[in-house]
Amino acid sequence: TLVSCWPRGAVKDMEGATDLAKWRLLCENGRQRWFYEDDRSLPDEEAVRHLFERPQNRIERYHVGTPSADDFPPFHAAATTGDALENAVQFYSTLQWEDGHWSNDYGGPMFLMPGLIITCAVTGVELSQPRRDEMVRYLLSEQREDGGWGLHIESPSTMFGSALSYVSLRLLGLDPAHAAAVRGRAFIHANGGALGIPSWGKFWLAVLGVYQWDGLNPIPPEFWLLPYWLPVHPGRWWCHCRMVYLPMGYIYSGRFTGPITDLVKELRKELYPQAYNEIHWPSQRENVCPLDLYTPHSYTVRFVNWVLGWYESFHSSWLRSAAQAEALEQIHAEDANTDYICIGPVNKVIDMLCVWFSEGESDRFQKHVARLDDYLWLGRDGIKMQGYNGCQLWDTAFALQAIVESGVCNVHIELLFFFSLFFFPPLLFLSFLPSPSLFLLFPSSSPFRPRGEALRDARRRARSECTRGMPRL
């Protein structure tokens, strides 16, 4: 009996969607970027120019949610667990790119893309219309029944997700009279307005100019001037924590805010139930909406924030300048070391803001702009910002492990092995080490580990495949 393996699921919320058949995914050595055929702002790159010479492939149709029945041939109905595993591997193999990796959606958090949209609005970076349309579709598709948006796509509504998503939709051009905007405003006002948005939300709204910096607990960059041996030095914090608060501190210390446009003035009216100029901002520092308050601030946290607030009132301008210079030097180092991808999506766009406020449209700023597409993914629900520039390595490594562990590919174990080396150059050194090192890749209980002459032959073939085309040293 033949069973269709045409994947279930359809495009989510088509309102405002582009012609999905015109999107192409460009994969270059693991780098993934989506481009639209009629986009007038396509980068002038040879690979992009040739991208639309081919038709949309089945992998692209699968990701945007428009696959055809011919894309995935039917297979025999499984009678045993082994049959089911073989069918799964057969289907999964149809989604593998020619270079061996699997592309996939790494979205989920709702607070990532608003930072990118606000940064582009402040710096004047124009997002192409197809991207804007698909971003709007994504945000509309994730709106909750109560009118709000969550911290992530599985979360109930929060003020953090709701205020930032609402602002994003307005910056992308959504009319305030649109039904989704009306419902979003009603939810925000019913829960006290955007005054109670958590700290990261306060930061983004202040950058845009719809929240006052006096409403934030201080983020002094002077911490970076402390001796490294002190436990409170930021260099001893968790990497994602310190690399977010590094550029945040720089921007906070300069009270940098984007231009106050007519849209910003409208948002000042739309986000709060009271008049913007009547709000007492210092009293909002500890104000967090109950929907977002997972753990109340302790007396210790409140005391530390009070001390930092006192310091902010009397800080030395010389010390502040030295701290800003140190922070900016660290930011430039992060950008250069990661080729402007940065450690994650949050500090990526804040670093970009720092470069803009300190240098304007410099070469470093343009390098930041060129890497924005790496974080954007087009899925069945629209364009979202991913948790990093993809999960290619994870998905391919786990897929390889799962296929090997399933036991259905024992005949091709050597092939899978040298493919793993070819796809992951950092593992190339294993092919030059003594044979026992190869057993690190396979469980000792697995009957499918290559042994004896087969193992030695696999190592030789792996080394040959991995070094093909490399210049001789």
Side-chain angles (χ1 to χ4, degrees):
T1 303
L2 294 180
V3 179
S4 172
C5 64
W6 188 11
R8 298 178 180 178
V11 175
K12 189 175 181 180
D13 291 348
M14 288 293 295
E15 180 183 358
T18 57
D19 183 351
L20 296 176
K22 294 185 176 182
W23 286 96
R24 300 290 186 277
L25 179 59
L26 177 61
C27 295
E28 299 173 293
N29 299 320
R31 185 186 186 191
Q32 301 173 344
R33 292 177 292 167
W34 285 94
F35 294 106
Y36 192 69
E37 186 173 357
D38 296 339
D39 192 347
R40 297 181 180 179
S41 60
L42 291 174
D44 186 19
E45 301 176 18
E46 183 177 359
V48 177
R49 290 194 295 270
H50 294 308
L51 186 60
F52 297 97
E53 295 176 358
R54 64 166 175 82
Q56 192 178 54
N57 61 40
R58 66 169 174 265
I59 303 176
E60 293 159 337
R61 288 192 290 272
Y62 174 82
H63 285 306
V64 301
T66 59
S68 68
D70 297 332
D71 284 340
F72 304 94
F75 48 73
H76 290 279
T80 66
T81 303
D83 293 341
L85 288 171
E86 290 182 3
N87 288 342
V89 172
Q90 176 187 345
F91 170 73
Y92 203 51
S93 66
T94 64
L95 299 176
Q96 188 178 27
W97 284 88
E98 293 179 356
D99 65 0
H101 86 279
W102 280 272
S103 55
N104 213 339
D105 188 329
Y106 191 34
M110 294 299 297
F111 58 89
L112 301 180
M113 194 164 68
L116 182 148
I117 294 171
I118 291 173
T119 295
C120 289
V122 169
T123 60
V125 173
E126 188 68 26
L127 293 168
S128 66
Q129 193 59 48
R131 279 171 172 70
R132 296 168 71 93
D133 291 343
E134 290 296 337
M135 287 177 174
V136 169
R137 179 163 71 95
Y138 173 71
L139 292 170
L140 293 180
S141 72
E142 298 301 339
Q143 189 175 26
R144 299 289 175 263
E145 293 183 1
D146 59 11
W149 287 264
L151 178 67
H152 51 81
I153 60 175
E154 300 295 337
S155 162
S157 296
T158 63
M159 186 56 65
F160 189 31
S162 299
L164 289 183
S165 295
Y166 179 86
V167 167
S168 297
L169 283 169
R170 295 286 284 116
L171 292 176
L172 291 171
L174 191 72
D175 192 285
H178 189 282
V182 173
R183 292 171 56 223
R185 275 199 311 276
F187 175 85
I188 292 171
H189 288 187
N191 289 277
L195 289 174
I197 194 171
S199 59
W200 283 16
K202 296 179 193 290
F203 170 83
W204 280 118
L205 296 185
V207 167
L208 184 61
V210 296
Y211 209 97
Q212 292 298 305
W213 287 108
D214 288 342
L216 277 74
N217 282 314
I219 316 172
E222 283 84 345
F223 275 101
W224 289 91
L225 299 178
L226 295 172
Y228 183 76
W229 54 264
L230 285 177
V232 295
H233 188 281
R236 297 184 176 277
W237 300 353
W238 180 48
C239 59
H240 285 277
C241 180
R242 67 170 179 264
M243 297 314 297
V244 167
Y245 284 103
L246 169 66
M248 270 190 180
Y250 176 83
I251 291 178
Y252 173 86
S253 66
R255 302 296 198 278
F256 297 117
T257 299
I260 307 302
T261 63
D262 291 340
L263 179 54
V264 169
K265 293 177 181 178
E266 292 176 13
L267 285 171
R268 287 180 171 181
K269 298 177 182 178
E270 296 170 16
L271 290 173
Y272 309 101
Q274 65 270 65
Y276 186 82
N277 57 6
E278 295 178 359
I279 298 172
H280 184 257
W281 293 102
S283 62
Q284 307 305 321
R285 294 178 182 177
E286 301 290 340
N287 180 15
V288 179
C289 178
L291 297 174
D292 301 73
L293 191 61
Y294 289 92
T295 302
H297 292 175
S298 65
Y299 288 111
T300 302
V301 170
R302 290 176 179 270
F303 175 74
V304 170
N305 286 333
W306 180 84
V307 171
L308 294 177
W310 175 85
Y311 169 79
E312 196 63 26
S313 302
F314 303 100
H315 70 267
S316 163
S317 57
W318 174 85
L319 198 61
R320 174 58 53 88
S321 297
Q324 289 177 325
E326 174 65 21
L328 202 57
E329 182 179 353
Q330 296 281 354
I331 290 168
H332 291 330
E334 158 80 350
D335 294 343
N337 289 338
T338 63
D339 197 14
Y340 295 84
I341 282 290
C342 302
I343 199 173
V346 178
N347 82 310
K348 154 67 184 175
V349 288
I350 308 180
D351 280 12
M352 180 174 162
L353 271 176
C354 292
V355 174
W356 166 261
F357 284 126
S358 62
E359 301 178 359
E361 293 206 32
S362 64
D363 180 63
R364 278 192 280 239
F365 178 75
Q366 294 303 327
K367 290 180 178 178
H368 262 296
V369 174
R371 298 297 256 171
L372 290 178
D373 286 336
D374 294 61
Y375 275 99
L376 299 178
W377 181 264
L378 174 64
R380 300 184 179 194
D381 50 358
I383 283 182
K384 74 289 301 274
M385 191 177 192
Q386 302 185 100
Y388 199 52
N389 63 327
C391 51
Q392 303 89 310
L393 181 61
W394 287 9
D395 286 347
T396 306
F398 289 145
L400 176 65
Q401 181 180 6
I403 292 171
V404 171
E405 293 284 350
S406 70
V408 301
C409 293
N410 54 317
V411 177
H412 304 290
I413 187 64
E414 296 92 344
L415 184 65
L416 289 172
F417 171 63
F418 69 71
F419 273 0
S420 72
L421 293 181
F422 181 73
F423 302 148
F424 312 131
L427 296 181
L428 177 62
F429 75 97
L430 287 177
S431 67
F432 296 94
L433 295 179
S435 298
S437 65
L438 302 181
F439 290 92
L440 295 175
L441 295 179
F442 308 102
S444 59
S445 60
S446 173
F448 308 121
R449 290 190 305 171
R451 302 176 186 275
E453 183 60 34
L455 183 142
R456 289 188 290 273
D457 182 61
R459 291 177 61 240
R460 286 193 296 268
R461 292 163 62 190
R463 185 182 299 117
S464 174
E465 288 292 329
C466 291
T467 57
R468 179 181 298 173
M470 291 184 179
R472 293 185 177 274
L473 300 180

